Amino acid sequence: MAYFKEQIPLQLLAEGLEEQFNKNGWETWLKYRAVAPSKGGKTRKFARVYLFKSLGTDSCWRNFGFIQSYGGKTPVPFGEEELITHNSVLGILDKDSVNSKMFHFKVYPILTSYLKVYVNGLEISMSNIDDIDADNGTITFAAAYSLPANAVVTATYGLADDVPDIPSKYMFFTCEDVITERFISNESLTLDAGVYKFPTWVESIKPNALEVYDDGVLVDSSNYDPVIWDNPQVKFKVSYTVNGLVTVNFVMPLTMGEDEKDNEIIVKDFDVDNGQSVYEAVLSTMRFVFPSLPTTITFIDEYTAAWTRESEMFVWGNATKNRVVMFYRVDPSPDAPKAYYAPLYIGKVITFGKSPKINNVIIGGSNIVDEVKSSTVIKLSPSKILDYGPYATNGNDGVQLQQTVGGTFYQRHYLSFITHDDKADVSPESRYNPSVYSGKYHISQIYVVHPNDGYVGILDEVYAIHPKNIAQMDELEVIESVDYEPIGIGDGENKVFHLTHTPKPGTDVTIQVDCASIPFTRIETVGYDDNDEQLKAVTLNTAPDDGKTVYASYQYAQTYIYTLATVPRCPFVLEGVTPYAPIGLGILKKNEPFE
């Protein structure tokens, strides 16, 4: 089942989300850190980048990533460094998957001056530790030391200045593709012993991908010696006279490993608290093909000292290889109004006719300060900006569809669902839900629409629920008989179509084309590797002719979890984007009624 409900320490939120996304069909594509060198006595600045991809059941590749920025702080004075104790959940060390003597710290780099190691609650002598790798956060016990079976190893340790801060927000984004090459423009070279040297962070450049400029004028390659690409430098010939500043444009190939901390890409200085500045730094690290405007997810309006690295982040939702729909909320105990219910929807919308060229939607929730406005000028390079027109959206002030049927990227879309006029709902005594006549709640599917393109599709297994007489995390039972649901249009080749919901076990499913029932097969039982897409898939014996609509009739009984977003900048709460503001969401919990 694709529903999840987890509690993750704030410090480990990125790792916890990665595990959850991977578990539900989204492969980690890349992990790395953009790093700005220390400046003005401050620590280095970092932007952690996680990229994911998934091949959906509609054969559409979807990509998304998230970014966390931190650093640029005054170094902590000696003796005042932050400590993690062996009693903390972050003090539990993880056993290496290969070396039974090696254990990993959950947070690193560490300071060894405070290190105490415990085995099954008892402190051991440091003479039993053979190796300590502070930068990579590991200890290795001495070969002579005998660890008890199933030993629980904990530690008290200090945190170095470069440890990631606890996140107050993430920026999500998508793109069509990523080329792991870095395009560098207008980089100055330094004269040293008769040759012009590249910055130390440039280890190699792509062969024949170099332009040399002298005082802004392109220099013909015949005027300098052939470049050694793995140790780049420019040596002009004796016959050539340098007139001014020597700069270069070049392409630097990137070799990326699995660990973000091994994949550090040096960038120019940026402001860790400014979303535009952070995003521009990330975009400078490699070639992103058609990157979106960033969608901000704000977890908390303003952190105080009451929230710590081991404070819990509650995450819940429903994830499949087609889409992720979820909510975040940090432990509200210190200041509940500031602990937002922050939503995120990434992925497919269900369509019944033409589909967008890239059917990938992002909806997120931010506070006002953290939002990167859609009008923000994002620089891809000194001479190029990110410009998708005046009606592009960031996913906070509108629904962001990656690419329309007509091929346009990241245009603002809107929500549509069945609702009453909010002018009829002004009384503090108005209840609307549940109906006094039936005792049932009114819910509606949520459509994504565009003023020009019309109805694009519906959010996948998400309902609109009015926030009346209902509380956060309440459960709703949805039981319905579906008659003649359009599930697709034939093209003469495709045989696989998907129902909007998983049919109730033991009930009949009928598929019709041209008012005639047609034979098909489908997975009906939940077992190993069965997921919601497989359970909803129907495979017709014969592909419907081009232009023929395929209809399905069936019954379903499901349980949905209600949550109302409380962030101020979100399509679900903004008048003019949603027909009723704010509107709560029902997210699928299970394909059966609640007990």
Side-chain angles (χ1 to χ4, degrees):
M1 180 59 200
Y3 181 78
F4 60 89
K5 185 178 181 181
E6 301 286 344
Q7 294 176 220
I8 305 171
L10 269 175
Q11 181 67 55
L12 305 179
L13 181 58
E15 294 83 354
L17 290 179
E18 179 188 21
E19 180 181 354
Q20 195 59 246
F21 294 151
N22 291 167
K23 192 184 301 182
N24 289 291
W26 294 84
E27 173 190 350
T28 301
W29 188 4
L30 284 175
K31 286 191 296 185
Y32 67 97
R33 302 195 302 189
V35 183
S38 57
K39 184 178 180 181
K42 304 290 187 179
T43 62
R44 294 190 296 168
K45 298 177 180 179
F46 299 88
R48 308 174 74 188
V49 183
Y50 282 57
L51 298 177
F52 302 90
K53 62 181 178 180
S54 173
L55 179 61
T57 57
D58 55 356
S59 299
C60 177
W61 277 104
R62 295 178 177 86
N63 311 311
F64 77 84
F66 67 79
I67 304 166
Q68 177 197 352
S69 59
Y70 66 95
K73 302 174 295 185
T74 301
V76 179
F78 180 75
E80 297 181 16
E81 297 91 349
E82 188 176 353
L83 296 179
I84 299 293
T85 74
H86 66 100
N87 294 314
S88 164
V89 295
L90 301 178
I92 302 172
L93 275 57
D94 299 318
K95 188 175 182 179
D96 188 77
S97 59
V98 177
N99 185 350
S100 62
K101 293 284 189 177
M102 178 182 289
F103 286 77
H104 297 258
F105 292 84
K106 286 184 168 63
V107 190
Y108 58 93
I110 69 168
L111 298 174
T112 58
S113 54
Y114 299 101
L115 183 60
K116 296 181 180 180
V117 178
Y118 299 78
V119 175
N120 292 343
L122 299 176
E123 185 178 358
I124 66 167
S125 170
M126 296 304 294
S127 63
N128 293 311
I129 305 297
D130 186 52
D131 180 70
I132 302 172
D133 186 340
D135 288 338
N136 293 304
T138 64
I139 60 170
T140 304
F141 286 94
Y145 181 75
S146 179
L147 277 166
N150 302 316
V152 176
V153 179
T154 58
T156 293
Y157 55 100
L159 299 181
D161 287 326
D162 284 348
V163 163
D165 295 332
I166 56 177
S168 63
K169 60 182 179 292
Y170 283 156
M171 285 195 300
F172 282 79
F173 67 100
T174 186
C175 59
E176 187 171 354
D177 202 353
V178 174
I179 299 172
T180 52
E181 294 178 339
R182 191 174 179 192
F183 291 69
I184 307 296
S185 301
N186 201 34
E187 188 67 38
S188 300
L189 301 189
T190 304
L191 180 62
D192 183 10
V195 298
Y196 287 84
K197 293 189 175 181
F198 283 67
T200 55
W201 50 266
V202 181
E203 297 179 356
S204 64
I205 62 177
K206 186 177 181 179
N208 303 313
L210 172 68
E211 293 178 341
V212 179
Y213 291 82
D214 178 4
D215 200 23
V217 179
L218 181 64
V219 180
D220 189 272
S221 60
S222 61
N223 289 314
Y224 50 87
D225 291 333
V227 174
I228 302 173
W229 307 111
D230 290 334
N231 182 25
Q233 59 187 25
V234 174
K235 183 178 181 180
F236 292 100
K237 293 186 176 179
V238 176
S239 59
Y240 182 82
T241 301
V242 177
N243 297 307
L245 180 66
V246 176
T247 59
V248 288
N249 298 338
F250 62 97
V251 178
M252 184 171 70
L254 300 172
T255 302
M256 311 299 287
E258 294 184 0
D259 192 333
E260 63 170 296
K261 294 179 178 62
D262 292 334
N263 300 330
E264 291 192 350
I265 300 176
I266 304 300
V267 298
K268 294 181 179 179
D269 191 33
F270 62 92
D271 182 350
V272 297
D273 296 318
N274 182 287
Q276 174 188 354
S277 180
V278 172
Y279 196 48
E280 288 176 349
V282 169
L283 293 182
S284 74
T285 56
M286 58 186 69
R287 184 71 180 272
F288 289 90
V289 182
F290 292 112
S292 68
L293 297 173
T295 304
T296 306
I297 309 295
T298 302
F299 310 129
I300 194 162
D301 190 38
E302 182 184 1
Y303 272 123
T304 67
W307 280 287
T308 68
R309 295 182 184 274
E310 58 183 297
S311 292
E312 296 288 352
M313 174 68 82
F314 301 91
V315 294
W316 65 95
N318 189 298
T320 70
K321 65 190 300 183
N322 286 333
R323 64 94 182 93
V324 176
V325 55
M326 62 183 296
F327 272 87
Y328 300 80
R329 198 187 192 204
V330 69
D331 174 17
S333 300
D335 194 342
K338 290 184 178 180
Y340 290 130
Y341 285 87
L344 174 68
Y345 185 105
I346 292 181
K348 176 185 175 183
V349 294
I350 298 172
T351 59
F352 304 116
K354 289 184 177 179
S355 292
K357 287 190 174 179
I358 301 180
N359 182 346
N360 193 23
V361 159
I362 294 187
I363 300 171
S366 170
N367 65 4
I368 295 172
V369 174
D370 293 333
E371 179 189 13
V372 180
K373 302 292 185 183
S374 294
S375 58
T376 302
V377 178
I378 303 290
K379 292 184 179 180
L380 293 171
S381 70
S383 60
K384 188 175 181 180
I385 63 173
L386 203 65
D387 184 8
Y388 296 117
Y391 301 110
T393 180
N394 57 15
N396 292 124
D397 61 16
V399 178
Q400 185 187 87
L401 176 64
Q402 185 164 349
Q403 191 178 23
T404 65
V405 172
T408 307
F409 283 92
Y410 305 117
Q411 296 304 292
R412 181 180 288 109
H413 286 62
Y414 302 84
L415 302 173
S416 176
F417 46 84
I418 300 171
T419 179
H420 66 292
D421 193 322
D422 59 4
K423 294 181 179 61
D425 197 18
V426 295
S427 168
E429 296 182 3
S430 62
R431 53 181 289 166
Y432 192 70
N433 271 329
S435 167
V436 295
Y437 298 99
S438 66
K440 296 181 179 180
Y441 283 79
H442 169 78
I443 63 175
S444 170
Q445 291 179 322
I446 303 177
Y447 289 83
V448 173
V449 300
H450 186 271
N452 182 69
D453 293 351
Y455 286 78
V456 177
I458 61 173
L459 300 186
D460 185 10
E461 290 185 311
V462 178
Y463 281 107
I465 301 172
H466 286 86
K468 297 292 181 179
N469 286 9
I470 190 169
Q472 300 279 26
M473 305 302 291
D474 275 357
E475 296 186 359
L476 293 164
E477 182 181 72
V478 182
I479 300 176
E480 187 175 3
S481 294
V482 180
D483 295 318
Y484 306 109
E485 172 185 86
I487 61 172
I489 297 176
D491 60 7
E493 297 181 5
N494 180 41
K495 296 181 181 180
V496 180
F497 296 84
H498 290 82
L499 310 175
T500 304
H501 303 277
T502 299
K504 185 178 179 180
T507 60
D508 293 332
V509 176
T510 303
I511 306 297
Q512 292 180 311
V513 176
D514 278 343
C515 299
S517 297
I518 59 174
F520 64 92
T521 58
R522 62 173 290 265
I523 295 174
E524 297 186 46
T525 57
V526 180
Y528 180 73
D529 269 354
D530 288 343
N531 55 42
D532 285 356
E533 286 74 35
Q534 290 175 295
L535 295 175
K536 291 192 289 186
V538 291
T539 304
L540 311 187
N541 290 10
T542 304
D545 293 338
D546 187 33
K548 297 293 184 180
T549 301
V550 182
Y551 296 94
S553 299
Y554 58 97
Q555 292 180 309
Y556 68 93
Q558 297 176 318
T559 298
Y560 283 76
I561 294 289
Y562 167 83
T563 309
L564 178 68
T566 58
V567 281
R569 298 293 296 170
C570 175
F572 298 123
V573 306
L574 292 177
E575 293 184 5
V577 180
T578 177
Y580 185 95
I583 192 68
L585 302 186
I587 298 174
L588 178 65
K589 180 180 181 182
K590 59 181 180 179
N591 288 311
E592 55 188 76
F594 62 76
E595 298 175 354

